[in-house]
Amino acid sequence: MDTFLWIAQLLLAVVFAGSGAAKSTMGRNRLIATGQTGTALFPMPLVRFVAGCEILAAVGLVLPWATGIAPVLTPLAAAGLCVVMVGAAWSHARLGEPRAVAANALLFALALAVAIGRLADLA
């Protein structure tokens, strides 16, 4: 189980570090052109805030658990990404993008597995 959780943590960290970096540096039109169409429904300050949250979550998924310093931050980061994925799925559903909603559901499931698995490891 630990191997699965580490793979999920690293995969989520890569995905959300990339997504957060794109959202923090690109304009709305460029984001939409590169496939981040869900950003069209939100004001750019909120998109930038979510970008920062995604970058912090990417770090929080790996660093605390790997170092043993405040490991409770790892399941909290994963839970935070679950919240982000609910918002993303909502926006993609409103835009009529079922593939994007499915991708959001998959990322949600991985983040939820990490949150539950790492909370169980802490107990």
Side-chain angles (χ1 to χ4, degrees):
M1 183 66 156
D2 190 56
T3 302
F4 167 77
L5 290 174
W6 269 115
I7 291 169
Q9 284 169 242
L10 293 171
L11 178 64
L12 288 167
V14 168
V15 167
F16 285 102
S19 177
K23 288 177 188 157
S24 66
T25 59
M26 294 181 187
R28 181 181 310 281
N29 291 336
R30 178 93 169 112
L31 283 167
I32 292 168
T34 59
Q36 298 233 13
T37 56
T39 60
L41 301 180
F42 300 104
M44 282 309 288
L46 180 59
V47 172
R48 301 285 192 228
F49 174 75
V50 170
C53 291
E54 288 178 347
I55 292 168
L56 289 173
V59 173
L61 284 167
V62 178
L63 206 54
W65 203 265
T67 64
I69 300 171
V72 71
L73 294 177
T74 295
L76 291 177
L81 289 176
C82 288
V83 173
V84 171
M85 286 300 92
V86 168
W90 174 84
S91 67
H92 288 295
R94 287 206 53 204
L95 293 169
E97 300 172 339
R99 282 192 212 155
V101 173
N104 296 143
L106 175 63
L107 292 170
F108 176 89
L110 278 176
L112 185 62
V114 169
I116 292 170
R118 290 308 184 198
L119 277 175
D121 288 346
L122 287 173

